[in-house]
């Protein structure tokens, strides 16, 4: 379930519930306190990816606390 997953405070990548570090950037700053997410499949063609500083495909949290 999405709310069991952990979002990275650095890059907003949504990781699995058992992650110790971010699969995207390697940060250990993960939190359960996040809201909303977007799935970016083609960051090079996306209008939102540059706004979020996303260069890799994946699920990203919109708001991370």
């Amino acid at each position: 379930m999405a709310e069991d997953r952990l979002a990275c405070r650095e890059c907003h990548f949504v990781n699995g519930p058992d992650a110790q570090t971010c699969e995207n950037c390697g940060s250990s700053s993960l939190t359960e306190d996040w809201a909303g997410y977007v799935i970016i499949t083609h960051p090079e063609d996306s209008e939102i990816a540059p706004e979020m500083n996303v260069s890799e495909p994946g699920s990203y949290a919109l708001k991370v606390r």
Side-chain angles (χ1 to χ4, degrees):
M1 190 181 294
E3 51 270 354
D4 293 338
R5 299 176 75 186
L6 301 170
C8 177
R9 287 188 175 105
E10 304 298 323
C11 70
H12 291 211
F13 188 79
V14 178
N15 296 272
D18 297 325
Q20 298 296 312
T21 59
C22 178
E23 297 171 20
N24 188 47
C25 72
S27 172
S28 61
S29 183
L30 304 177
T31 181
E32 294 176 337
D33 194 6
W34 60 277
Y37 72 99
V38 61
I39 299 171
I40 298 177
T41 56
H42 300 285
E44 64 280 354
D45 298 327
S46 172
E47 291 181 23
I48 191 73
E51 295 293 322
M52 294 182 69
N53 296 319
V54 169
S55 58
E56 296 296 320
S59 298
Y60 293 86
L62 295 176
K63 184 173 185 179
V64 179
R65 294 178 212 73

